[in-house]
């Protein structure tokens, strides 16, 4: 909203000067432009132009016109979109009438807009103003101007102050078009789907989602301005179809389907995105010693630090980071200080939170309070020696923690002594109490967080990213064997390990659909005569109920997909194993308990 406000002043300021005397008919008279710089060499970053070579800014640049979000800089995007619309209306009606109409529909659009609009909301309000004022005479011209600057038919933003947006250069279609809000999607992150179809008037429509591993779900899309938007959750758990949560496994892809009915022709519209495994959390023995540290002397709330390497985090890489005294490392953009430090706030931040809560580094709870930085080969560590900003008299309590970033993308959280009474730290009004520990990709709807009963000398928390060195897991399926017959129970057994990382999951596919998940927790001394990582617990064994799986009698296929802690999946065997389900009941094992006897007393 603020960015658009700054752009209004440019758009109208370049066209209006105030006359002397009473304005005729209640309106200000028009005169020539009083700023002939056209944005070049003054307070704007680029000259105003409809030439994309001279000014390439689009909605995709929101928050990045300069290295961080800023209302004046981001307002240039909105101005450029209005400048394109103005040029189109001048071409349509001539200089005087084009200028008159664009001023009127922009002003009336402000009256018709929803409160606290996004740029997309404001685009829709201007389109509405054209329909109200001029019977929609310039709908095509307005759409063309906005689409050229990334605010086309499938553009969307969750709220006015968001920089995680979807840009679009598409014009409206009467045949339907789909787009995912996020690509790629992390397993556990909600799916947000956008539909545009100019022929639709209903309040809601339905689309369908499928996972490559077999799940199918319906998604309701609700009319939101000129588009339809819907949300549905995802899960790493294996669930039934049509249960309002799409089950995903590493290596999946998500496809969306929508059927457009009527003119110009009934057809199915589809789009597809990839997925990413979440970061893999594990622990290591406690350690809290760091060498060659330098003080940041962080007297303000934040310092921007250049990293010694390009740090990969989720789907991007970063050469610098914002380090906050309150225990947050943020990327992409700075975070409002003294605001919330809870999970919803982390979801809006591309950031890492080893212990995020209201802290100060200028107190007396412990000596030499500050944030320290140290670099080693392939890693950089930020350590906080601080204290809680207490709501009670007498000051806060000491906190000691650190976050280490590795050039591979791995993250480690380390905790020293203290870290008591964290819940007593001051909390802004309307915020949940801290601390918040975890990471977020900044998509506003997803975090990976950790809860511990105490952070005093806690174990080192290790977060392995879903990308890495490319070493794949190794596995063998021992049962079923090719051509084997089963009744009632399908026994799946085998071995799975990883030469470098940890096996995080073994997914079992029958006839191309994931049906179960196994864990390598069976001791296999026979296999471990030659040591491999994970020994002896590298075996897995899982009995599957044939009836529960809905397997008919006859031939079926089976394969497994093994994923390691770096998110790398691999399927075994190369060709799925064919097996047979026979009718009838399998022979059941027999057992008897001899001791203790029923009702016996034991000690």
């Amino acid at each position: 909203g603020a960015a658009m406000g700054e752009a209004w002043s440019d758009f109208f300021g370049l066209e209006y000067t105030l006359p002397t005397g009473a304005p005729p008919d209640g309106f200000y008279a028009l005169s020539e432009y009083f700023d002939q710089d056209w944005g070049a060499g003054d307070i704007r970053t680029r000259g105003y132009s409809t030439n994309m070579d001279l000014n390439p800014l689009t909605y995709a640049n929101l928050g990045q016109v300069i290295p961080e979000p800023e209302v004046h800089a981001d307002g240039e995007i909105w101005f450029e979109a209005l400048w394109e619309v103005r040029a189109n209306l001048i071409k349509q009606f001539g200089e005087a009438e084009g200028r008159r109409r664009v001023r009127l529909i922009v002003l009336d659009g402000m009256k018709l807009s929803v409160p606290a609009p996004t740029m997309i909301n404001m685009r829709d309000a201007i389109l509405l103003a054209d329909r109200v004022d001029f019977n929609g005479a310039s709908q095509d011209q307005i759409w063309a101007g906005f689409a050229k600057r990334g605010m086309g038919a499938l553009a969307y933003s969750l709220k006015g102050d968001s920089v995680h947006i979807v840009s679009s250069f598409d014009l409206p279609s009467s045949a339907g078009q789909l787009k995912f809000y996020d690509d790629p999607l992390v397993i556990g992150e909600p799916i947000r789907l956008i539909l545009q179809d100019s022929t639709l008037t209903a309040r809601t429509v339905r689309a369908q989602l499928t996972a490559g591993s077999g799940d199918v779900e319906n998604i309701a899309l609700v009319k939101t301005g000129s588009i339809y938007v819907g949300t549905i959750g995802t899960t790493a758990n294996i669930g039934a179809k049509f249960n309002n949560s799409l089950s995903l496994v590493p290596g999946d892809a998500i496809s969306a389907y929508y059927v457009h009915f009527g003119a110009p022709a009934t057809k199915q519209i589809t789009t597809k995105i990839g997925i990413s495994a979440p970061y893999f959390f594990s622990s290591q023995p406690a350690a809290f010693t760091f060498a060659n540290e330098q003080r940041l002397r962080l007297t303000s709330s934040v310092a921007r630090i250049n990293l010694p390497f390009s740090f990969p985090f989720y789907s991007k890489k970063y050469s610098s980071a914002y380090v906050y005294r309150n225990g947050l490392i943020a990327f992409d953009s700075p975070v409002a200080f003294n605001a919330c430090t809870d999970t919803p706030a982390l979801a809006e931040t591309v950031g890492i939170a080893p212990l995020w809560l209201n802290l100060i580094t200028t107190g007396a709870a412990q000596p030499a309070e500050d944030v320290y930085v140290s670099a080693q080969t392939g890693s950089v560590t930020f350590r906080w020696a601080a204290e809680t900003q207490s709501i009670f008299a007498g000051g806060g309590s000491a906190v000691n923690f650190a976050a280490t970033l590795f050039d591979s993308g791995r993250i480690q959280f380390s905790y020293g002594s203290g870290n008591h009474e964290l819940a007593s730290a001051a909390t802004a009004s309307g915020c949940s109490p801290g601390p918040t520990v975890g990471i977020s990709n900044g998509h506003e709807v997803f975090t990976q967080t950790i809860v511990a009963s105490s952070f005093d000398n806690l174990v080192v928390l290790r977060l392995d990213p879903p990308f890495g060195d490319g070493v794949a897991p190794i596995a063998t399926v021992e049962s079923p064997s090719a051509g084997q017959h089963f009744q009632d129970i399908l026994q799946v057994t085998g071995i799975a390990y990883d030469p470098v990382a940890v096996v995080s999951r073994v997914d079992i596919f029958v006839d191309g659909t994931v049906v179960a998940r196994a864990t390598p927790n069976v001791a296999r001394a026979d296999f471990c005569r030659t040591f491999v990582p994970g020994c002896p617990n590298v075996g897995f064994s899982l009995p599957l109920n044939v009836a529960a799986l809905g397997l008919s009698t006859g031939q079926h296929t089976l394969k497994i997909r093994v994923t390691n802690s770096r998110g790398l999946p691999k399927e075994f065997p190369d060709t799925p194993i064919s097996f047979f389900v026979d009718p009838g009941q399998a022979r059941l094992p027999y057992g008897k308990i001899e001791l203790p006897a029923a009702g016996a007393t034991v000690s």
Side-chain angles (χ1 to χ4, degrees), residues 169-200:
F169 300 89
D170 305 280
L171 293 172
S173 169
S174 59
Q177 47 191 340
L178 284 172
K179 190 170 189 175
F180 285 97
Y181 198 108
D182 301 296
D183 183 13
L185 192 88
V186 181
I187 297 177
E189 181 177 0
I191 298 169
R192 291 176 285 183
L193 185 65
I194 302 168
L195 166 69
Q196 187 275 318
D197 188 334
S198 301
T199 65
L200 293 177

Side-chain angles (χ1 to χ4, degrees), residues 233-541:
T234 67
T235 178
N237 298 322
I238 299 171
K241 295 179 180 179
F242 302 109
N243 66 350
N244 295 316
S245 182
L246 190 70
S247 297
L248 298 170
V249 303
D252 260 345
I254 304 172
S255 297
Y257 300 90
Y258 160 73
V259 178
H260 166 82
F261 293 98
T266 297
K267 67 174 183 177
Q268 185 181 74
I269 311 299
T270 183
T271 187
K272 186 176 182 179
I273 60 169
I275 65 103
S276 169
Y279 277 64
F280 182 80
F281 288 24
S282 59
S283 63
Q284 299 176 177
F288 202 73
T289 302
F290 309 98
N292 303 318
E293 290 186 317
Q294 295 181 350
R295 294 183 67 163
L296 291 183
R297 303 195 181 279
L298 197 61
T299 56
S300 62
S301 63
V302 61
R304 186 171 184 174
I305 306 297
N306 290 326
L307 301 175
F309 46 80
S310 184
F311 175 66
F313 186 59
Y314 284 103
S315 58
K316 295 183 180 180
K317 291 186 176 182
Y318 301 93
S319 58
S320 65
Y322 296 92
V323 180
Y324 288 79
R325 71 168 184 241
N326 62 7
L328 176 71
I329 302 172
F331 306 98
D332 269 353
S333 60
V335 179
F337 196 69
N338 291 330
C340 294
T341 58
D342 52 18
T343 300
L346 182 61
E348 297 183 356
T349 306
V350 183
I352 297 169
L355 198 71
W356 193 28
L357 74 168
N358 283 326
L359 304 174
I360 59 173
T361 53
T362 55
Q366 60 179 323
E369 289 188 354
D370 205 339
V371 179
Y372 295 79
V373 60
S374 57
Q376 300 80 33
T377 302
S379 69
V380 60
T381 298
F382 298 97
R383 178 177 69 87
W384 282 259
E387 63 183 76
T388 57
Q389 187 173 340
S390 178
I391 60 176
F392 304 112
S397 60
V399 294
N400 291 283
F401 60 93
T404 302
L405 315 183
F406 294 84
D407 56 7
S408 64
R410 178 159 59 94
I411 305 165
Q412 285 185 183
F413 296 160
S414 306
Y415 301 92
S417 60
N419 306 327
H420 301 299
E421 302 176 15
L422 301 179
S424 67
T427 303
S429 177
C431 303
S432 300
T436 301
V437 178
I439 56 176
S440 171
N441 58 10
H443 290 182
E444 302 172 329
V445 292
F446 175 74
T447 62
Q448 290 185 252
T449 56
I450 300 167
V451 177
S453 58
S454 172
F455 289 92
D456 182 16
N457 293 309
L458 185 67
V459 296
V460 172
L461 301 177
R462 174 171 169 157
L463 291 69
D464 283 315
F467 46 81
D469 50 23
V471 177
I474 298 172
T476 301
V477 178
E478 298 172 321
S479 174
S481 57
Q484 190 172 358
H485 288 252
F486 295 89
Q487 293 175 305
D488 286 344
I489 302 298
L490 170 62
Q491 189 69 38
V492 181
T493 61
I495 293 168
Y497 66 95
D498 192 279
V500 177
V502 176
V503 172
S504 60
R505 53 192 291 166
V506 178
D507 293 293
I508 300 171
F509 288 73
V510 174
D511 298 334
T513 299
V514 63
V515 297
R517 183 172 305 141
T519 302
N521 57 7
V522 178
R524 291 295 301 267
D526 58 325
F527 179 79
C528 288
R529 284 191 290 266
T530 300
F531 177 79
V532 297
C535 272
N537 296 322
V538 295
F540 60 88
S541 181

